[in-house]
Amino acid sequence: MARGNNDKTKASNKIISGLFFVAGLAVLVSIGISLGKETYKKRQVQKEIEGLQTQVKKLNQENGELNNLIAYFSTQEFQEKEAREKLNLQKENEQMVVLRKESENTDQKPATENDLSSPKDDTSPNWQKWLKFFFTQRN
């Protein structure tokens, strides 16, 4: 009888230890999953921080450029230049000179009949036009 009781306690001890092993394994797996999730979140937050730091550097650089532009726009030299160009103002003793381009046709001779006809009038194929261009005599 002692042996029967002993076998029952051994079997119950094996079942209990098996349950503790499975429960411990489940706890370890859940801890591992939680640790993995937290590591992933930490990596994502770190990437976002790096992106924001890069953006801050870029904005600081743009801010410096804008401050330089503001300093330039507030100079007397810039204000005079803008007044001259946009408002057509001038100083008291200055004289304005306006230069205009001459039209290109005033220096050329009037077209003669010997010249090649305009492309609108000539309906011949392109290869014939090239032949005329290279092999006809010009004055």
Side-chain angles (χ1 to χ4, degrees), residues 3 5 17 21 45 47 60 62 71 77 85 99 130 138:
R3 198 170 199 194
N5 252 350
S17 63
F21 177 74
V45 168
K47 284 182 183 179
N60 283 336
E62 288 178 11
E77 178 184 323
E85 290 178 1
L99 300 176
W130 282 108
R138 291 187 206 115

Side-chain angles (χ1 to χ4, degrees), residues 18 38 62 73 120 131 136:
E38 289 302 315
E62 288 178 11
F73 290 155
K120 294 177 187 174
L131 284 175
T136 58

Side-chain angles (χ1 to χ4, degrees), residues 7-139:
D7 286 338
K8 287 182 182 180
T9 54
K10 282 184 180 180
S12 65
N13 282 344
K14 281 186 179 183
I15 292 173
I16 292 173
S17 63
L19 288 175
F20 276 119
F21 177 74
V22 170
L25 188 61
V27 168
L28 285 175
V29 167
S30 67
I31 289 173
I33 290 173
S34 297
L35 183 65
K37 286 181 181 179
E38 289 302 315
T39 304
Y40 178 75
K41 285 180 185 179
K42 181 180 178 184
R43 191 176 307 142
Q44 293 299 322
V45 168
Q46 188 65 31
K47 284 182 183 179
E48 186 175 348
I49 288 172
E50 290 172 0
L52 290 174
Q53 286 174 343
T54 304
Q55 191 175 9
V56 165
K57 286 179 185 177
K58 188 185 295 183
L59 289 174
N60 283 336
Q61 183 179 5
E62 288 178 11
N63 191 17
E65 291 172 2
L66 289 174
N67 286 334
N68 290 340
L69 279 175
I70 289 172
Y72 172 68
F73 290 155
S74 61
T75 62
Q76 186 69 24
E77 178 184 323
F78 173 77
Q79 292 172 0
E80 284 181 12
K81 179 183 171 189
E82 288 297 306
R84 289 172 194 262
E85 290 178 1
K86 298 206 173 155
L87 302 175
N88 293 325
L89 296 178
Q90 59 190 14
K91 290 185 178 180
E92 290 180 18
N93 297 330
E94 282 185 334
Q95 293 181 356
M96 184 183 292
V97 177
V98 177
L99 300 176
R100 295 186 182 160
K101 284 188 174 181
E102 294 286 329
S103 65
E104 295 178 11
N105 292 335
T106 57
D107 293 338
Q108 295 178 352
K109 297 185 254 177
T112 61
E113 290 180 21
N114 292 340
D115 292 342
L116 293 174
S117 61
S118 67
K120 294 177 187 174
D121 299 335
D122 193 6
T123 58
S124 61
N126 242 359
W127 63 273
Q128 287 179 352
K129 291 177 189 176
W130 282 108
L131 284 175
K132 285 180 190 177
F133 179 76
F134 284 116
F135 296 113
T136 58
Q137 290 182 347
R138 291 187 206 115
N139 293 334

